[in-house]
Amino acid sequence: MTPLRLALADLGFDRLRTMLSIAGMASVIVCAMLLGAMAAALSDFLAVPSTGSNLIILDGNYVDPSDSTLPDEVMRAAEALGPQLVSRVSPLFFRQLRVNDRLVQVRAAPLADWAGAQHLSLQSGRWPNIGNEVVIGEGLADSAGWNLGSVLIIYGRPMTVTGTFRSPGVAFAAVYMPLELARDLFGPDRLTQIVTVQVALGADGETVSARLAADPEIAGRFVVFYEDTYTRRNTELLRDLLNLMYVGSGLALLAVGMGAYMASALHLAERPRESALLRLSGFSVAQVSAYLLLRTEMLAAGAFCIGVPLASAWMSALYADGPAYVFNVPIRLTADPNRVAIFAALTALSAFAGALVSTAGLLRASVAQGLRS
Amino acid sequence: MDTPPVPRPLVDVVPLVRAEGLSRHYTRGSEIVDALADITLDIPRGAFAVVLGPSGCGKSTLLHLLGGIERPSQGAVTVDGVSLERASEAELTRFRRRSVGFIFQFYNLLPFISADENVALPLLAVGQARADALRAARAILDQMGLGARRGHRPAELSGGEQQRVAIARAIITRPPLILADEPTGDLDAAGAEAVVSMLRDLARDGQHTIVMATHNQRLVQASDQVIRLSSGRREPR
Ligand SMILES: Nc1ncnc2c1ncn2[C@@H]1O[C@H](COP(=O)(O)OP(=O)(O)O)[C@@H](O)[C@H]1O
Ligand SMILES: [Mg+2]
């Protein structure tokens, strides 16, 4: 009787117990898979390309920059540093507005700066011409179900979507319009909430930043950040969430090991005699260990074979009416084959460790002790 | 006229089992229990020895020490040429495979495999091909009148049948020593008689030495040698 055959016979003997053990571990594997998929989706999203040494200036007294207004002196102070240090200074306007019954961030910047200082890249359609035309971030297109040709009512005026863009940072959920259109719509005043400063090629960002911060027009009232730093600060919540998910899916995998430990410890506690009997019949400690480990690995494999398809089915069901959204971020959950393979390895490993811990003590005891229990 | 002594064959001179000053104590909390104290005995090959004494006198402990499934606290025990008190775990495994078969009061069969698989276990443990091992197991079960029951799990067999399966398992490797711990304790009179006569036959064919523990005075009649225990000590005759 090979250890494998023994394990199969044993598991087949008490089917109800076997199924309960498998179901318990499978539910934990589903959790681990879902959390892992969410973490992966979030980390994909958070792996935003850098905006390099772009600097931004904003009003340090406001929590939400859209409440503030930067005077023209700020832009002029930045421009005064000259082309050696600064290649472009671009004003950015933004408002939180209700657009077609959704809360949307509407941004405006000079059209000429979109691809440069604002780091937008066109994904579909075209950039707006003069007229009531806007582009939308692909995250927004996805979550709101808007696409090319959609008409958005912005500040009471119908606007046509001419394209979708991708951008680093937090503009994924924004509507962009040319500054001229914003001026027409909202009036010419108070249209700058953030000044984006593109540091000249070859210039040192730190130097530019320090010069700006020390400028009499800026010092005391306005603050200077790297745009990346600002983005990171804005996505901090998501990052925390991501870390939580990593921890959660790690804990879930640990729970698989615990489940294996429990299943095998329970088995040994209930029927300590069996392993003693095997040793009595001439099985070595190694052979008995192999049987017990295989038994646990087979439970884990069963749990995996149920848990993974269940998790995948769940994810595609969640997905049936579009992706899930976390803070307007489309989260696509997928059972990526690489991740499944890693999970398989980790599940096997944690089950192995769990079984090893529970069997080690038992097999150190004498055969007679096992028989007496 | 004096005749020089005829040298007896070696097998008769060296007993199969030899114990000297064998002791085993257990700690139960702060208390030390002398389960077995200072046992010295020889059991020759082919003997049917009975270990007799009331419950708790140390019979099982003695059998466990002789079978290499428990280590002595003191003393020496040599069985079939192996010094068990010194043997490593690997040596003990080899000893169990080759030299000893166990029979218990409550049969101790694995519940999740069939009768023939239970009997074949000792052969499968040493890596014999499954088909061969099962064939050998079925041959023994046939001899014992259990041929029709070979595919049944232990729970589907009567006590007497389970005990015969257990005996078949104990003898399938033809070990020189068979240790039977109260093998009749759970059986009715007829079943008990059948088991005892089976063990006696095993001893009689000279291939096996039987050591049977019992508290039943009447079973002594069948034996060649009686080892009386009382509170872990051997009683002088
Ligand atoms: N593992 C153990 N731990 C503590 N005490 C034990 C252990 N095994 C046996 N004993 C004690 O040793 C004594 C002899 O036990 P045992 O050999 O089983 O006797 P018998 O088989 O004659 O009934 C008993 O008092 C028993 O309680
Ligand atoms: Mg006993």
Side-chain angles (χ1 to χ4, degrees), chain A residues 21-364:
Chain A
S21 300
I22 288 179
M25 283 200 219
S27 63
V28 181
I29 288 174
V30 169
C31 284
M33 284 289 298
L34 287 178
L35 284 168
M38 286 172 102
L42 258 190
S43 90
D44 282 353
F45 164 74
L46 287 173
V48 289
S50 165
T51 53
S53 54
N54 256 21
L55 296 170
I56 55 172
I57 307 170
L58 42 86
D59 191 329
N61 299 308
Y62 288 87
V63 175
D64 183 348
S66 63
D67 293 334
S68 69
T69 305
L70 270 57
D72 289 347
E73 285 73 28
V74 174
M75 273 189 71
R76 259 179 252 128
E79 281 161 353
L81 292 183
Q84 297 295 351
L85 293 178
V86 170
S87 60
R88 184 82 189 166
V89 178
S90 171
L92 177 66
F93 156 90
F94 68 90
R95 289 277 150 87
Q96 298 285 348
L97 294 177
R98 185 164 293 284
V99 175
N100 293 21
D101 271 340
R102 287 183 76 92
L103 189 66
V104 172
Q105 198 180 83
V106 175
R107 296 182 171 212
L111 197 49
D113 292 341
W114 286 13
Q118 301 295 336
H119 292 283
L120 307 190
S121 60
L122 194 66
Q123 293 302 298
S124 67
R126 57 168 176 79
W127 295 125
N129 294 321
I130 301 305
N132 292 320
E133 294 182 343
V134 294
V135 291
I136 58 179
E138 57 177 354
L140 183 60
D142 227 347
S143 69
W146 297 336
N147 35 47
L148 303 187
S150 291
V151 174
L152 310 181
I153 311 295
I154 300 177
Y155 215 60
R157 190 187 295 183
M159 312 245 171
T160 307
V161 176
T162 64
T164 63
F165 65 86
R166 179 173 293 177
S167 86
V170 283
F172 55 87
V175 169
Y176 258 82
M177 64 173 64
L179 194 62
E180 298 74 17
L181 180 55
R183 202 163 274 153
D184 190 33
L185 197 58
F186 300 102
D189 302 330
R190 301 158 60 85
L191 274 185
T192 304
Q193 271 104 28
I194 294 182
V195 169
T196 308
V197 179
Q198 205 174 11
V199 175
L201 213 67
D204 175 33
E206 293 292 342
T207 312
V208 178
S209 173
R211 292 276 298 273
L212 284 172
D215 190 285
E217 294 292 345
I218 294 173
R221 170 107 198 259
F222 303 104
V223 288
V224 184
F225 280 115
Y226 277 109
E227 192 173 355
D228 283 351
T229 311
Y230 188 66
T231 303
R232 212 171 303 122
R233 227 179 52 174
N234 283 325
T235 53
E236 210 153 321
L237 195 61
L238 289 180
R239 261 168 232 284
D240 288 349
L241 202 66
L242 175 66
N243 288 335
L244 269 181
M245 283 173 182
Y246 278 135
V247 170
S249 84
L251 282 178
L253 276 176
L254 207 65
V256 175
M258 290 297 287
Y261 169 78
M262 295 295 273
S264 115
L266 199 67
H267 172 70
L268 291 173
E270 275 181 348
R271 296 185 282 173
R273 204 169 269 230
E274 282 171 10
S275 47
L277 277 176
L278 287 170
R279 289 172 69 187
L280 197 70
S281 304
F283 284 81
S284 65
V285 169
Q287 285 171 308
V288 177
S289 304
Y291 147 62
L292 291 169
L293 291 176
L294 273 169
R295 185 185 180 281
T296 310
E297 287 295 349
M298 277 153 66
L299 285 176
F304 193 80
C305 290
I306 291 173
V308 168
L310 210 65
S312 315
W314 195 347
M315 287 190 261
S316 22
L318 282 177
Y319 219 3
D321 357 306
Y325 292 91
V326 180
F327 302 110
N328 262 338
V329 184
I331 298 289
R332 293 172 195 277
L333 301 183
T334 52
D336 170 60
N338 286 335
R339 207 169 333 116
V340 170
I342 292 172
F343 263 64
L346 290 177
T347 302
L349 206 71
S350 66
F352 185 82
L356 207 62
V357 171
S358 69
T359 55
L362 170 112
L363 295 176
R364 235 180 285 120

Side-chain angles (χ1 to χ4, degrees), chain B residues 13-56:
Chain B
V13 178
V14 179
L16 179 72
V17 177
R18 164 161 280 176
E20 275 177 49
L22 200 57
S23 300
R24 171 73 213 201
H25 50 74
Y26 297 101
T27 45
R28 208 188 277 150
S30 59
E31 185 192 359
I32 292 180
V33 182
D34 283 314
L36 213 58
D38 197 23
I39 301 292
T40 294
L41 54 79
D42 280 354
I43 299 171
R45 283 181 191 266
F48 183 7
V50 167
V51 179
L52 187 69
S55 176

